[in-house]
Amino acid sequence: MTALDRSGGEPLWKQLQADLIRRLQSGAFDAAFPGELALVEQYAVSRHTVRQALGQLRADGLIVAERGRQPRVATVPEIRQPMGALYSLFSSVEASGLAQHSVVRALDIRADGVIAARLELEASIPLLYLERLRYAGDEPLALDRVWLPAALAEPLLDADFTHTSLYNELAERTGLRLDHGREDIRAVMPAPAERALLHCPAEAAVFSIIRQGTAQNRPVEWRHTIVRGDRFALSAEFSENTGYRLTPATAQAHGW
């Protein structure tokens, strides 16, 4: 623990914040993070000073602090996904050094009037449906559900999706390549069955990702993926010169 400079230069809460970050990075709080009163005593500062420092740590995602509970160190995401071009969860997992595989829960032809409408098709049009539980290492990462027009995607029924990417199989078996898409991403609390399936901690939220993929201006994919928020993060870049810029994926191989 570093002594704080009380000469009137840098505010005490900023000094406290910097020292707590240093201690976090050194592993000093791996077992437990001290409460407000303990920090008041350790650093001989006011509770207001401690709360200012902890508020910034919480805003930066370094700790989790809830009303009535002792702060704790935030879980560091194992997989960080750049935003931008059509990206590959398959590639992101393997780039993180974790082995990836999938458990295929469903692969069949079915009708779904709601999804068909989203793909600008008639309600009775057959759709190929693929549902996978995606693993990163030994733990589940995501539950992935995707629908495609069966007239285009039926050759995928013969694919083994335990360790391959949908977009690669789609390109190889049908010649179809997605060239555009839209995603809506939000944080939600998973349903009990989803939480159990993904092994989510009790307090963890998930990313709900809705994607519509198109090829040559034609909607060909509707996907709903839920990803564990304690294992996954999204990132972008910005600068003074270029402003906010979504980061293109390192590998353009379309692999979700």
Side-chain angles (χ1 to χ4, degrees):
M1 189 176 69
T2 303
L4 305 184
D5 180 3
R6 301 172 188 272
S7 64
E10 188 175 36
L12 290 177
W13 74 267
K14 284 192 175 182
Q15 296 181 54
L16 175 55
Q17 175 198 358
D19 196 51
L20 290 175
I21 291 174
R22 181 191 61 78
R23 294 174 69 187
L24 276 166
Q25 293 173 342
S26 71
F29 303 132
D30 285 353
F33 193 87
E36 289 183 4
L37 293 179
L39 292 173
V40 166
E41 183 176 345
Q42 288 177 22
Y43 287 93
V45 294
S46 70
R47 195 164 186 175
H48 177 69
T49 297
V50 168
R51 285 179 173 173
Q52 281 185 292
L54 294 184
Q56 191 59 50
L57 293 181
R58 182 173 60 249
D60 292 340
L62 298 176
I63 65 169
V64 176
E66 301 168 347
R67 186 180 296 275
R69 291 189 174 186
Q70 184 167 319
R72 65 184 187 277
V73 179
T75 302
V76 178
E78 297 171 79
I79 298 101
R80 187 171 298 274
Q81 173 62 59
M83 299 175 66
L86 282 170
Y87 59 81
S88 165
L89 185 61
F90 180 100
S91 299
S92 295
V93 171
E94 299 208 325
S96 73
L98 294 171
Q100 81 87 30
H101 71 279
S102 298
V103 173
V104 177
R105 293 170 49 83
L107 177 58
D108 55 41
I109 303 294
R110 61 180 68 182
D112 188 311
V114 174
I115 301 298
R118 291 168 179 168
L119 292 173
E120 300 178 9
L121 299 171
E122 294 183 4
S124 61
I125 292 292
L127 303 174
L128 182 138
Y129 175 69
L130 170 63
E131 180 177 321
R132 293 172 291 173
L133 184 61
R134 313 291 299 272
Y135 278 76
D138 296 327
E139 279 292 304
L141 171 66
L143 180 62
D144 189 38
R145 306 177 181 102
V146 61
W147 295 259
L148 306 103
L152 298 174
E154 190 169 2
L156 295 178
L157 288 172
D158 296 326
D160 179 2
F161 285 104
T162 57
H163 192 270
T164 189
S165 65
L166 171 62
Y167 293 163
N168 284 345
E169 292 293 332
L170 193 63
E172 290 178 6
R173 293 172 182 267
T174 72
L176 187 66
R177 295 183 182 274
L178 273 68
D179 52 30
H180 187 70
R182 172 188 171 86
E183 282 191 343
D184 293 312
I185 304 172
R186 59 181 178 142
V188 301
M189 298 305 292
E194 294 169 336
R195 185 179 295 281
L197 196 61
L198 290 168
H199 300 175
C200 282
E203 72 282 358
V206 296
F207 288 105
S208 172
I209 305 174
I210 301 292
R211 171 185 285 192
Q212 184 185 58
T214 65
Q216 299 178 348
N217 296 318
R218 176 185 179 182
V220 295
E221 174 199 37
W222 184 268
R223 183 192 296 260
H224 182 207
T225 306
I226 57 173
V227 189
R228 281 177 52 170
D230 62 322
R231 303 192 68 197
F232 184 78
L234 296 162
S235 60
E237 293 181 356
F238 65 91
S239 72
E240 183 178 4
N241 295 328
T242 62
Y244 192 87
R245 181 175 65 86
L246 295 178
T247 306
T250 301
Q252 188 82 7
H254 310 314
W256 254 39

